[in-house]
Amino acid sequence: MSVAQHTAAELVHNIFDLQRALRGVTASTMKYSELGPAHTGVLFFIGEGGPMRASALAGKLGIGPSALSRQLADLEQYGFVVRTPDPLDGRACLLSLSGEGQSYLAETYERRAETLQEILSDWTESEAEAASSSVRHLTAALRSAASGAAGHTALDAPRAPRTTAHRTGNDGRHHLDPSSEITKEAL
């Protein structure tokens, strides 16, 4: 394995921390009439993937059909999502963005990019490009693991025994416990 357990644990913590920070920034910059993050996420996936069935969209989002159904009803009420018959199966519908949905999504992307540009005003272009590249690389690895898993993810896979004891800190992460070294021979 090329990445150490403590490095992977630190990365998991940093990803969750990034998600919380991003939600905080997004919530603080949202207009009162703007849709919530869950609805906007649905729009992003429909816009990115083109016309798709609700079942495929729910799978990509990792949510159940009932949760998606409520969100889609709201988005249709706003006029952002349209349903058209699936040409391959007349019993099914395909979801796509309306012109209004495309405009809303484009404005949201632009506004978020401007906000992030302000937040990163003390970063260099190289630092921002490196961060973008790392996030893209991580996302591709996670998507690859998710698409290859049948009912579980690589993050749920059984773990090999540790050769060093760890303790859990107040931040929920595992830290090396230098007072209790365990060797492979002791296992």
Side-chain angles (χ1 to χ4, degrees), residues 71-85:
Q71 293 170 351
L72 287 173
D74 293 342
L75 293 170
E76 286 178 289
Q77 186 175 10
Y78 280 106
F80 292 161
V81 172
V82 293
R83 293 178 191 258
T84 56

Side-chain angles (χ1 to χ4, degrees), residues 97-141:
L97 297 181
S98 67
E100 289 179 49
Q102 291 172 357
S103 295
Y104 177 86
L105 194 55
E107 290 167 11
T108 300
Y109 270 123
E110 185 177 328
R111 191 174 52 259
R112 288 183 179 181
E114 288 170 355
T115 299
L116 191 57
Q117 188 178 22
E118 290 172 21
I119 291 169
L120 302 180
S121 64
D122 61 340
W123 285 37
T124 66
E125 185 68 16
S126 298
E127 289 171 323
E129 287 173 353
S132 182
S133 177
S134 293
V135 170
R136 187 172 44 253
H137 186 67
L138 177 61
T139 301

Side-chain angles (χ1 to χ4, degrees), residues 30-35 78 104:
M30 287 173 61
K31 297 179 200 172
Y32 178 75
S33 63
E34 190 173 21
L35 296 173
Y78 280 106
Y104 177 86

Side-chain angles (χ1 to χ4, degrees), residues 38-83:
H39 290 89
T40 304
V42 171
L43 287 177
F44 282 136
F45 273 96
I46 295 172
E48 183 179 78
M52 67 177 69
R53 289 183 176 191
S55 58
L57 179 59
K60 286 181 177 247
L61 291 165
I63 62 174
S66 62
L68 179 60
S69 178
R70 289 187 298 273
Q71 293 170 351
L72 287 173
D74 293 342
L75 293 170
E76 286 178 289
Q77 186 175 10
Y78 280 106
F80 292 161
V81 172
V82 293
R83 293 178 191 258

Side-chain angles (χ1 to χ4, degrees), residues 134-166:
S134 293
V135 170
R136 187 172 44 253
H137 186 67
L138 177 61
T139 301
L142 292 171
R143 283 191 176 142
S144 176
S147 67
H152 66 281
T153 67
L155 297 177
D156 296 328
R159 295 183 177 107
R162 292 185 179 144
T163 57
T164 306
H166 289 72

